[in-house]
Structures are given as structure tokens and as C-alpha cells.
Amino acid sequence: MIIVTGAAGFIGSCLISKLNQENFNFIIAVDDFSYPEKEANLVGKKIQERVDREDFFDWLDQNYQEVEFIFHIGARTDTTEFDRQIFEHLNVEYSKQIWNRCIDYQIPLVYASSAATYGLGELGYDDNESLIPQLKPLNPYGDSKNEFDIWALEQERKPFFWAGLKFFNVYGPNEYHKGRMASVIFHTYHQIKKSGQMKLFRSHNPDFADGEQMRDFVYVKDVVEVCSFLMHHRRNSGIYNLGSGKARTFLDLARNTFYALGLDSQIDFVDTPADIRDKYQYFTQANMSKLRSIGYEKHFHSLEDGITDYVTNYLSKGQYL
């Protein structure tokens, strides 16, 4: 029996699909199931039981003996939300309760951290645990993820295996419900379909030309492969980056989306909104050597291959993973 929190969300539902592919069908799906727009993410998936997010700990206290693994993917991920109490409840305190039960009940744990913890990248993008207390996230969401990472590292009592994953810019199927928080590739596709062109933010940094701002974009199929690897590996506990390991420009992203649609690129630039300009990241790139060092050998999708698969097999058809 495997628990997935955030089961109806983007990464959580893709993870359930991956687990089902591996014949893990006794899945306990934990989420707030009151959002009908997320329901399609779970259609056709093999799930043993749905448990409401607020009922989960009572459920776990009664059923822990049957649980083999917990993937804690659920979180409030809205980077524009500034109510810190929401993040304190859902991202910090909730995660602490899961952590402590994994210790008490001897359950291994993988949880979602975030590259948002790196802020503007003043200290780089190395998953060096000694640097984590010095990181300066740019918003309450990033703060909440970093706060839990720091807390986890400080604990004398830990699950017998645990891993925190700093997700970089994840894109791919099952993000239809995310609205403005969906990936840039999702928004690029829909903007091209609607207007035939794509508007990118102009650079306000003299070191970067317009559209040459860079991010580490990682395909969700690679993310769930790493999750599966860690479930089977169960050694080398710690906090790990999870990106592609290669920064790419927004121009690359837009041009590849046009290409996947069989269209010539039509790209314009607009000013970055003044209210986010001072917190805008011009470069992110995951150092993936730590995950590689514990034996993860699979290749990550290139941006070209990931966009082609996403656009051709999912976005263009309205398909889910």
C-alpha cells in the first residue's frame, strides 16, 4: 500500500500513473477532493481508497501497518499567495506530522521541496545541505519549503529512509487545472493556439538579452522516474535537486513549442511587470551530481523531446497521463 498526498494534482497524479505502470495498484490517494477541475487527473487510475486531506492522520493511525511508502507531494504551491498561515498549516505543520508518523510507524518517506528555496540563486543551485539555512527564498511559498527542509535536517529522529526533492520548473501532462500556476510551456501552447504568437518578458538585466533568461525545465515523466527510483533504492537519505541539470532559454522554449505545432515562430517581448521585476530569476540550473552519485543513471528528456511529447501526445489531444 502506497500513499500519495496531493494525489489529484499535477505531479501527484502523474506519480500514481507511474506506480500503476509498475503494478502498484493499492494506492491511497490523499487530497482535498472538492475541486472538480482536478477530477480528470484521476480518471482510469487504480486507487484503493481516497482520503480527505484533513482526515488523513486519523486514517494513518488506524492503517499504518499496511503502508509500505509515503510520497508527500501535496502542498499549497501558489507563489502569489501571501497568507503565511496557509503555508504554515499546509506546507510546514502538515509535513511535520507526516515526518513524525513515518518515524513512529517505520514508513519510508519522499517529500516535495522546491527550487523556490534558492531565491535569486545567490548561493548557487547546489543541493549542499550545509547551505540550506542560508538560502533566501523570494516568497512565502519558498519560505515554507525551506523552513521544513531546515527543520528536517535538524531533527535527531528521522525516518529510516527519507528524501526531500527540490523540484525545478516541472512541466507536462495533468496540469490543465493549474491556471496561472501552470508551466510556461502550457501557457505558450495556449497563447500560440489563440493568437498565433507568443509574448515573452523583456530582459531588464544587462547581462541577458531579451528572451535569453534561463530556467531548468524538467519533464514530469522524469520527475516520477526519480520518485520511483528512490522508492526502490531506500538508501542515502537527504535533500536532492530534481531538475534536468541543463538551463535553457525562454526563446528555446517558445521556438520548440512553435516547432511542435508545425508553425513558424512569432515572438514579441513585453516589459516584465514592475511588481515582480526585482524578484525575477534570470538563471536557474540544478546541479544533479548528488542524485547521480547515489546511482541514478537514467537520462532526462531534452527540452526539445519533452515539449514534442507534451504538445503532440497530450496538449493537442487534451490527453492525461
Side-chain angles (χ1 to χ4, degrees), residues 6 13 21 26 39 41 91 147 158 181 252 259 265 304:
S13 62
Q21 288 172 17
F26 290 95
E39 187 60 34
N41 284 344
N91 293 6
E147 183 181 336
K158 294 179 169 68
M181 298 309 299
D252 287 337
Y259 182 79
S265 296
E304 289 81 358

Side-chain angles (χ1 to χ4, degrees), residues 1-99:
M1 186 177 285
I2 298 172
I3 291 168
V4 179
T5 73
F10 166 35
I11 298 173
S13 62
C14 290
L15 177 57
I16 292 174
S17 181
K18 171 65 177 173
L19 292 169
N20 286 170
Q21 288 172 17
E22 295 185 1
N23 289 319
F24 292 101
N25 300 324
F26 290 95
I27 307 296
I28 305 303
V30 179
D31 210 322
D32 176 354
F33 293 102
S34 63
Y35 295 89
E37 63 270 23
K38 295 199 291 187
E39 187 60 34
N41 284 344
L42 294 178
V43 170
K45 292 177 173 58
K46 294 175 181 175
I47 292 169
Q48 179 79 2
E49 188 175 347
R50 296 186 184 206
V51 178
D52 185 87
R53 181 176 68 201
E54 297 303 323
D55 298 332
F56 171 56
F57 295 115
D58 288 339
W59 181 96
L60 184 58
D61 290 341
Q62 296 171 26
N63 296 278
Y64 67 89
Q65 290 178 314
E66 298 178 64
V67 177
E68 181 182 352
F69 206 95
I70 294 180
F71 288 103
H72 178 34
I73 309 298
R76 177 60 64 88
T77 59
D78 189 345
T79 57
T80 64
E81 173 63 69
F82 286 92
D83 185 342
R84 289 183 179 272
Q85 287 187 316
I86 292 174
F87 291 113
E88 185 66 22
H89 170 57
L90 293 178
N91 293 6
V92 182
E93 292 304 322
Y94 199 92
S95 300
K96 288 179 180 179
Q97 288 197 61
I98 289 179
W99 175 277

Side-chain angles (χ1 to χ4, degrees), residues 200-214 249-251 255 269 272 280 282:
L200 296 175
F201 285 152
R202 189 171 284 117
S203 174
H204 300 274
N205 182 329
D207 295 333
F208 292 83
D210 291 343
E212 297 289 338
Q213 304 96 316
M214 303 181 82
T249 69
F250 283 96
L251 274 174
R255 287 167 178 160
F269 296 95
T272 306
Y280 186 81
Y282 279 82

Side-chain angles (χ1 to χ4, degrees), residues 246-263:
K246 185 170 178 57
R248 299 294 298 272
T249 69
F250 283 96
L251 274 174
D252 287 337
L253 182 154
R255 287 167 178 160
N256 276 289
T257 308
F258 277 104
Y259 182 79
L261 285 165
L263 300 171

Side-chain angles (χ1 to χ4, degrees), residues 175-189:
E175 58 172 334
Y176 298 101
H177 65 283
K178 287 178 67 71
R180 64 180 295 184
M181 298 309 299
S183 72
V184 184
I185 294 155
F186 179 90
H187 289 296
T188 301
Y189 171 85

Side-chain angles (χ1 to χ4, degrees), residues 257-277:
T257 308
F258 277 104
Y259 182 79
L261 285 165
L263 300 171
D264 293 330
S265 296
Q266 299 288 334
I267 300 169
D268 291 326
F269 296 95
V270 297
D271 285 343
T272 306
D275 62 333
I276 66 169
R277 207 173 290 178

